[in-house]
Amino acid sequence: DAGITQSPRHKVTETGTPVTLRCHQTENHRYMYWYRQDPGHGLRLIHYSYGVKDTDKGEVSDGYSVSRSKTEDFLLTLESATSSQTSVYFCAIKQGADTEAFFGQGTRLTVV
Amino acid sequence: AQKVTQAQTEISVVEKEDVTLDCVYETRDTTYYLFWYKQPPSGELVFLIRRNSFDEQNEISGRYSWNFQKSTSSFNFTITASQVVDSAVYFCALSEYGNKLVFGAGTILRVKS
């Protein structure tokens, strides 16, 4: 199995609080991605990274920020959580353009 | 901009039927990669296949086969003689050379015994 770990696996937080989700990899893959999965919408890209300190927005980036200060960690921050951000969040890693992505086990976030 | 459309939201079949899951993509790049993933009820995402834009050969792996047609921008997935264990959500995905990886909305496949 690809060495990719998401933490926490489950979190309940209150509206308006900041939340940070962590994705950690041991594969030294260059590319890392954050997705959210909601019924009827599939996997939607939030942000992705193509190297240390190199990140770009995905299709649903509003309300989220990311940071990648070292190859192995990609952090997703909800600056002020809202109920619409209740979702399952998946992190993925990818070695190169022509390779498949490997996914973490997901983080279930509930904003109350 | 890149886009993946899986028009079939949900498909129900009886065991041993063949089923085809449709995937249509949009891209402006000439070099791109297409993928299929399976998400069983347990929730993990399992890689099934990768295809690059220069390889239009169809592929068969056991009961699974994939039909890639650049002329119609489609990358369809067929399961032959479906089984209950095939019940899952199936995602098609597209990666352009810039490595932004986008997914379709997924197709829920229910195989009944």
Side-chain angles (χ1 to χ4, degrees), chain A residues 65-76:
Chain A
S65 63
V66 289
S67 67
R68 192 170 179 199
S69 58
K70 43 187 179 177
T71 300
E72 58 265 36
D73 289 325
F74 192 33
L75 304 180
L76 176 70

Side-chain angles (χ1 to χ4, degrees), chain B:
Chain B
Q2 60 191 106
K3 183 180 178 182
V4 176
T5 301
Q6 294 180 255
Q8 303 151 308
T9 304
E10 186 169 337
I11 301 174
S12 289
V13 299
V14 176
E15 220 174 6
K16 298 183 182 176
E17 283 186 29
D18 298 347
V19 58
T20 295
L21 310 181
D22 297 333
C23 173
V24 174
Y25 62 92
E26 295 176 30
T27 178
R28 289 178 288 196
D29 279 6
T30 54
T31 301
Y32 54 89
Y33 304 87
L34 295 161
F35 307 84
W36 275 95
Y37 283 82
K38 174 182 179 179
Q39 186 178 42
S42 52
E44 73 271 23
L45 284 146
V46 179
F47 164 75
L48 295 177
I49 192 170
R50 174 185 70 246
R51 236 357 180 211
N52 72 57
S53 53
F54 299 108
D55 181 2
E56 287 193 72
Q57 274 196 326
N58 292 328
E59 181 156 340
I60 298 174
S61 176
R63 296 185 297 106
Y64 295 172
S65 62
W66 291 269
N67 185 318
F68 176 30
Q69 291 195 337
K70 287 178 75 171
S71 61
T72 56
S73 297
S74 65
F75 186 42
N76 297 337
F77 173 30
T78 297
I79 301 174
T80 302
S82 59
Q83 299 176 2
V84 173
V85 293
D86 295 327
S87 296
V89 183
Y90 291 87
F91 292 100
C92 181
L94 166 67
S95 176
E96 294 175 338
Y97 204 71
N99 274 287
K100 186 176 180 180
L101 178 63
V102 297
F103 284 75
T107 297
I108 301 169
L109 175 63
R110 302 190 197 279
V111 182
K112 303 175 185 176
S113 58

Side-chain angles (χ1 to χ4, degrees), chain A residues 37-75:
Chain A
Q37 183 175 17
D38 305 287
H41 293 280
L43 291 161
R44 292 184 290 175
L45 181 64
I46 305 171
H47 283 280
Y48 65 107
S49 169
Y50 43 95
V52 173
K53 297 186 180 178
D54 290 323
T55 64
D56 206 348
K57 295 180 181 180
E59 55 196 309
V60 290
S61 59
D62 287 350
Y64 301 94
S65 63
V66 289
S67 67
R68 192 170 179 199
S69 58
K70 43 187 179 177
T71 300
E72 58 265 36
D73 289 325
F74 192 33
L75 304 180

